[in-house]
Amino acid sequence: MMSLMLKLLSTTLLLSSFLYASSVSDKVEDFLDDKFMGNSRLKSVDVKVTDVVPLKKLKGWDAYIIDIKAYLKNRPKNLIKQRMIWFSNGNVITKELIDMESGESLTELVKPHFQDKYYIKENLILGNANAKHKIAIFSDPLCPFCKGFVPDALKYMKKYPNKFAVYYYHFPLERLHPASVTLVKAAAAAELKGYKNVVEKLYTVHINPRERNVKKILAAFNKAEGTKLTPNDLQALAVKKQLKSDLETANALMVAGTPTVYFDGKVDKTRKKYLKAK
């Protein structure tokens, strides 16, 4: 009898916990839906809680992973997708929580992990797929920080094809470097045509990051890469598919800046773990 009562109590507690989490998720969705619709640029928005992660460091608080789908008024046919994290205790909601002792953002503790499905063969630029370590790099070729990291990192890891499998994902920061959007399209087009070492040469392209003239950007790309691409090459369905895949992977992982590096599936904030790898 006692065992049965304990099971019933346990089931009741689990059900109560589920109902509470569900009700708070609904509140979070409703709150954010109203908040985002306050943006006059949006035509419509759909907010969905896809996961709830309890915070071990803060009792009573949970992290809510949110998927947002929206349409802009001036681009009614273009669907915008974004993933973000919000925190709530059921009564208060906030976008950021920071541990005062460590100074660490709790957002980093609950971000999605790099799953095996994201290691796509089209993104493998160096090394063997079965190498001991897998490195994933999200980068914008015109980002100053990327220029200071990516070329040297690739040069080093290229020496050890059985130690490093390097996967590269285009992540152009359009607002900061408009020219990078055309550059990464050109890079994808060049790779599809069979050109080698495209990503490595990509960081040698000399162009104003604010340039928007496709012909000028493509001329600079062709000069650095030794290619003969035309604007029509950038419109190929396969190019669009590759870039869409890269951006969807970045969104799923909530990549926010460049360069973002994953070492064996975990974010490497130091971006130096590959130097100590055995």
Side-chain angles (χ1 to χ4, degrees):
M1 179 64 73
M2 181 61 71
S3 176
L4 178 60
M5 289 179 65
L6 288 174
K7 288 183 179 180
L8 288 173
L9 179 59
S10 176
T11 301
T12 301
L13 290 173
L14 287 172
L15 181 59
S16 298
S17 176
F18 171 78
L19 291 174
Y20 172 77
S22 179
S23 65
V24 175
S25 292
D26 290 340
K27 287 176 65 177
V28 169
E29 289 177 353
D30 290 342
F31 174 84
L32 293 178
D33 191 73
D34 290 340
K35 175 181 174 64
F36 295 136
M37 279 309 297
N39 187 332
S40 60
R41 298 174 58 200
L42 292 180
K43 178 182 179 181
S44 65
V45 65
D46 178 58
V47 178
K48 183 69 176 179
V49 173
T50 58
D51 199 8
V52 181
V53 182
L55 297 181
K56 295 180 180 180
K57 291 190 174 184
L58 200 58
K59 188 177 181 180
W61 283 75
D62 295 311
Y64 292 81
I65 297 180
I66 312 291
D67 276 355
I68 299 172
K69 297 180 180 179
Y71 289 93
L72 295 173
K73 289 181 179 178
N74 63 345
R75 295 180 183 177
K77 294 184 179 181
N78 291 355
L79 176 62
I80 298 173
K81 296 181 180 180
Q82 186 174 358
R83 174 170 284 188
M84 56 176 61
I85 293 175
W86 285 76
F87 302 95
S88 179
N89 64 354
N91 297 308
V92 177
I93 189 169
T94 180
K95 185 69 174 62
E96 187 72 83
L97 284 175
I98 297 175
D99 188 318
M100 291 180 67
E101 291 185 5
S102 66
E104 184 175 30
S105 170
L106 298 191
T107 299
E108 298 300 322
L109 301 179
V110 294
K111 276 189 175 182
H113 295 297
F114 199 104
Q115 300 177 36
D116 287 344
K117 66 180 181 181
Y118 299 135
Y119 293 117
I120 304 171
K121 64 178 182 179
E122 288 79 8
N123 294 92
L124 181 65
I125 62 169
L126 292 177
N128 302 319
N130 296 320
K132 185 175 181 180
H133 301 289
K134 286 183 170 61
I135 314 295
I137 301 173
F138 292 81
S139 178
D140 176 329
L142 296 179
C143 161
F145 302 104
C146 294
K147 287 185 175 183
F149 165 75
V150 176
D152 289 340
L154 295 184
K155 183 178 180 180
Y156 178 89
M157 289 186 281
K158 191 174 184 178
K159 300 175 183 177
Y160 309 100
N162 293 319
K163 182 187 290 188
F164 302 111
V166 183
Y167 293 80
Y168 184 93
Y169 304 79
H170 297 294
F171 191 62
L173 305 176
E174 184 173 5
R175 290 185 179 180
L176 296 175
H177 320 122
S180 65
V181 176
T182 297
L183 282 182
V184 300
K185 287 181 180 179
E191 288 175 328
L192 288 167
K193 286 179 175 293
Y195 287 95
K196 305 298 182 182
N197 306 318
V198 174
V199 170
E200 295 169 73
K201 296 177 184 177
L202 188 57
Y203 290 83
T204 67
V205 177
H206 295 291
I207 192 71
N208 185 330
R210 305 298 300 176
E211 181 62 65
R212 294 178 182 274
N213 186 299
V214 173
K215 290 184 177 179
K216 286 185 178 180
I217 300 169
L218 197 51
F221 177 88
N222 283 332
K223 182 178 180 180
E225 297 275 358
T227 52
K228 296 181 180 180
L229 300 183
T230 68
N232 286 338
D233 291 321
L234 310 190
Q235 301 305 316
L237 183 61
V239 170
K240 295 179 179 180
K241 183 179 179 181
Q242 180 61 52
L243 295 181
K244 181 182 178 182
S245 174
D246 286 3
L247 293 177
E248 286 182 346
T249 299
N251 183 54
L253 293 167
M254 302 181 67
V255 173
T258 57
T260 293
V261 180
Y262 286 83
F263 182 89
D264 288 343
K266 296 181 179 179
V267 174
D268 177 14
K269 292 182 180 180
T270 68
R271 300 193 285 269
K272 294 181 179 179
K273 287 187 177 180
Y274 72 95
L275 293 171
K276 300 178 182 179
K278 296 181 180 179

